[in-house]
Amino acid sequence: MAMEAQRLLRLERSLFSVWMYWLTGGRQRDEFRATLAEVETALAQNTDGPFFLGRDVTMVDCMFAPFLERMAASLLYFKGFQFRVAPGVPTDYPAINAWFDAMETRESYQLTKSDYYTHCWDLPPQLGGCVYEKGGEPFEQA
C-alpha cells in the first residue's frame, strides 16, 4: 500500500503542475485532461471504496482534496471546463465525483472546504493572474 500511496502522490503533483500551466498560461489543456483521466482511472480501479486507497480516508485523499476542490472551481470559472457535477448528472469523471460525494459526507471535510467563489477570487492574486478562455464566460458572468 505504501508504494501505491507514493504513486498516487506523484500523480497528484503531476495533476497540480498541469493545472497550474493551464490556469495561468493557457497551456497544457490536453495534458491536464489526460492527467485528470489518470486520476479517474486510479479511483475507478479501487473497488474497496470511494477513496484513493479504499474505504478509508488516507493522507492521499488529504493531499488531493484542496487541489481538486480548487481545480473544480477555477477551471469552471476561467475555462468553462466542468468535471464536478451534481449527483445524477452524466460525466466523464464518475469516480472523481463519487470521491467528492464521499468526502462531502465527512464532517472534517465540510469544516475545511471552501466555496467556488472564494477560490475563483483568491487564486489570481496568489498566482499572478489566471488566463480566461471563452468557455468560462457564462460562469464568470453568473
Side-chain angles (χ1 to χ4, degrees):
M1 180 150 38
M3 289 182 66
E4 178 63 5
Q6 289 176 356
R7 184 187 74 77
L8 290 167
L9 291 172
R10 285 191 300 275
L11 178 59
E12 184 274 334
R13 289 290 79 196
S14 294
L15 184 66
F16 175 84
S17 182
V18 293
W19 167 58
M20 282 284 102
Y21 278 115
W22 187 20
L23 185 63
T24 62
R27 304 177 312 275
Q28 304 280 336
R29 177 181 158 215
D30 293 339
E31 290 83 350
F32 176 84
R33 288 178 177 226
T35 307
L36 188 64
E38 288 181 53
V39 173
E40 173 67 23
T41 299
L43 282 164
Q45 286 176 343
N46 186 350
T47 58
D48 295 333
F51 302 109
F52 280 95
L53 293 174
R55 68 177 190 268
D56 297 319
V57 172
T58 67
M59 184 57 73
V60 173
D61 300 285
C62 293
M63 292 299 293
F64 268 93
F67 297 111
L68 280 173
E69 190 181 300
R70 284 167 177 82
M71 289 170 198
S74 64
L75 293 177
L76 181 62
Y77 184 81
F78 292 104
K79 310 294 184 182
F81 178 74
Q82 185 172 25
F83 66 91
R84 175 67 173 130
V85 298
V89 174
T91 178
D92 291 336
Y93 307 99
I96 291 173
N97 279 271
W99 176 85
F100 268 117
D101 293 343
M103 290 294 286
E104 289 174 353
T105 67
R106 305 185 59 83
E107 184 180 8
S108 57
Y109 180 72
Q110 287 292 329
L111 292 171
T112 60
K113 75 178 258 183
S114 189
D115 60 273
Y116 275 34
Y117 181 82
T118 300
H119 287 314
C120 292
W121 284 100
D122 73 1
L123 283 171
Q126 292 175 29
L127 303 174
C130 297
V131 175
Y132 289 90
E133 292 180 11
K134 206 169 184 78
E137 286 178 2
F139 304 101
E140 180 188 350
Q141 302 300 323

